[in-house]
Amino acid sequence: MSTKIGIVGLPNSGKSTLFNALTNAHAAVAPYPFTTVDPNVGVARVEDERLSSLAGCLSPERVIPASIEFVDVAGLIQGAHRGEGLGNQFLSHLMGVDALLQVVRCFEDANVAHAMGGVDPLRDIEVVTTELLLKDLEVLERRKEKERKLAKSGDPQAQQVVEHLERWAAALSGGTPIRRLGLPPEAEPARYGLELLSAKPVLYVANVDEATLATPPASVEPVRAFAAREGAQLLVLCAKLEAEVAELDPADRPVMMRELGLAQSALPQVIRRSDALLQLVTFFTTASKILQAWSVPQGTKAPQAAGVIHTDFERHFIRAEVIHVEALLRCGTEAAARSQGLLRVEGKEYVVQDGDVIHFRIGA
């Protein structure tokens, strides 16, 4: 199961350029709006030094890293929730993503038209956010009609659901995304089968030009302050430069990055911040001579982690044999770890920790 990130922003903000940098997928890029009509989808491998070390230690026949899927939709404009610029179609493609990556234009370029006439990052963030809120309100209104009919028919839970819907709608109408309400799990829309765009966490990317990358322009500071107020993650990068580096042969990239003063490419930075945003941990399995990395939310218990591999594994879970990756690497082999009593047997209440190597024992 891949982590899935939706890339959003105004037209010509650099969304598809960043998508290309992250996935090397060669999505169309042009200096005019709506180059992206159908969503671009690409998958990137999550490089993990622990996985490489385990592979060297265990010599598996196959190594499968965790992955992250990116969905690049066309630029949103005012009225997108009503279908302006095919907005409704674009917004529907964001259903099913785990988080949103919002690209905010912070660069000046007379050759690349700005959808709103000029660089103003906070205005651009507000335009995109407003469209997501309005789309969510439409979803809530449709659900309210259904629940009110159920309430009139005597359904005892329908009225309670209507009350939740009205509270969420009031927040959205006041300009507050669902993710900022601090709702307890029992009051979250997902608990009632509702996937709301404004409930998804957001990673903001301030897209600057190469000339201002070392010393970001003043236009970045409002984005930084906004992200801090939201408790959100922020990345400052030059999408155009990142895409050019991604086009190089892998062997040539480190040299070019040093010349450009880039300590790290965009992908690992996005992965690290996405993991923090979604509060993910990584565990490893070694069954059938396949070493594989998996990502799950913090707090996931062993049966649910097994279910990520296959739904039957959760239903038929018996126990988990667990050792931390560092302990396994010190031992050198699983047999040595077992002989030293370092493999723990854990039950259904065990909470998976980052870096666990797990053998799931499954019944019939």
Side-chain angles (χ1 to χ4, degrees):
M1 183 179 71
S2 300
T3 301
K4 197 170 183 179
I5 306 294
I7 303 178
V8 298
L10 295 186
N12 291 348
S13 59
K15 295 183 305 79
S16 295
T17 303
L18 180 58
F19 173 81
N20 286 336
L22 295 171
T23 65
N24 205 19
H26 305 289
V29 176
Y32 49 79
F34 305 121
T35 307
T36 307
V37 177
D38 295 319
N40 298 310
V41 179
V43 177
R45 292 162 49 111
V46 176
E47 300 297 333
D48 191 324
E49 291 182 1
R50 299 171 299 178
L51 187 67
S52 301
S53 297
L54 281 173
C57 176
L58 303 177
S59 300
E61 293 180 358
R62 189 179 177 195
V63 178
I64 304 176
S67 60
I68 184 166
E69 181 177 321
F70 294 97
V71 180
D72 170 36
V73 300
L76 300 177
I77 62 173
Q78 287 180 319
H81 71 286
R82 297 191 303 271
E84 295 291 337
L86 300 180
N88 256 321
Q89 176 184 332
F90 299 157
L91 288 168
S92 68
H93 294 309
L94 298 175
M95 299 298 180
V97 304
D98 300 300
L100 299 174
L101 187 160
Q102 184 170 342
V103 180
V104 185
R105 179 170 172 172
C106 295
F107 66 88
E108 301 278 0
D109 188 337
N111 296 316
V112 181
H114 196 295
M116 300 294 291
V119 174
D120 185 340
L122 290 186
R123 176 205 58 206
D124 296 352
I125 290 174
E126 182 179 0
V127 168
V128 172
T129 300
T130 298
E131 293 308 314
L132 300 181
L133 298 182
L134 291 171
K135 183 63 175 179
D136 283 351
L137 277 170
E138 285 187 4
V139 172
L140 292 182
E141 285 303 318
R142 287 197 298 269
R143 181 65 179 271
K144 273 197 284 188
E145 289 181 14
K146 175 183 176 182
E147 296 297 336
R148 283 171 177 154
K149 290 179 181 177
L150 290 173
K152 289 180 179 178
S153 69
D155 187 317
Q157 294 184 343
Q159 185 55 46
Q160 181 183 9
V161 176
V162 170
E163 291 172 1
H164 280 301
L165 293 168
E166 289 177 344
R167 281 195 292 270
W168 299 330
L172 294 173
S173 297
T176 302
I178 298 298
R179 64 178 175 273
R180 289 175 53 190
L181 296 180
L183 297 172
E186 64 273 12
E188 291 179 351
R191 178 75 175 268
Y192 299 89
L194 278 166
E195 184 175 352
L196 300 182
L197 297 175
S198 72
K200 301 178 186 297
V202 179
L203 165 61
Y204 294 98
V205 171
N207 187 15
V208 302
D209 59 25
E210 182 179 349
T212 59
L213 182 58
T215 306
S219 57
V220 169
E221 291 312 307
V223 183
R224 194 186 306 279
F226 181 86
R229 289 194 300 272
E230 287 234 324
Q233 296 282 323
L234 171 69
L235 260 179
V236 180
L237 52 76
C238 174
K240 181 180 179 182
L241 193 60
E242 295 283 352
E244 290 173 356
V245 171
E247 288 285 341
L248 298 175
D249 185 277
D252 297 329
R253 290 173 192 169
V255 176
M256 179 61 73
M257 288 175 63
R258 283 196 298 271
E259 291 178 355
L260 295 171
L262 296 175
Q264 196 175 44
S265 65
L267 180 59
Q269 296 183 73
V270 168
I271 290 171
R272 188 171 63 251
R273 282 167 171 76
S274 297
D275 283 355
L277 195 67
L278 294 167
Q279 298 182 308
L280 300 179
V281 298
T282 300
F283 70 93
F284 307 95
T285 58
T286 59
S288 303
K289 298 183 179 180
I290 298 174
L291 172 62
Q292 186 161 359
W294 309 83
S295 294
V296 294
Q298 289 178 14
T300 299
K301 293 184 178 180
Q304 287 70 52
V308 171
I309 300 171
H310 195 289
T311 53
D312 286 345
F313 288 8
E314 181 176 353
R315 289 199 299 270
H316 302 298
F317 175 89
I318 297 176
R319 66 182 183 275
E321 295 178 358
V322 185
I323 182 172
H324 194 271
V325 60
E326 293 179 1
L328 179 54
L329 290 173
R330 285 196 302 270
C331 292
T333 67
E334 291 183 303
R338 190 180 299 275
S339 68
Q340 295 178 39
L342 295 177
L343 266 72
R344 311 186 312 276
V345 176
E346 302 287 357
K348 293 183 177 181
E349 294 304 310
Y350 178 69
V351 176
V352 173
Q353 302 298 306
D354 187 57
D356 279 349
V357 182
I358 306 178
H359 285 283
F360 293 106
R361 301 303 180 187
I362 309 300

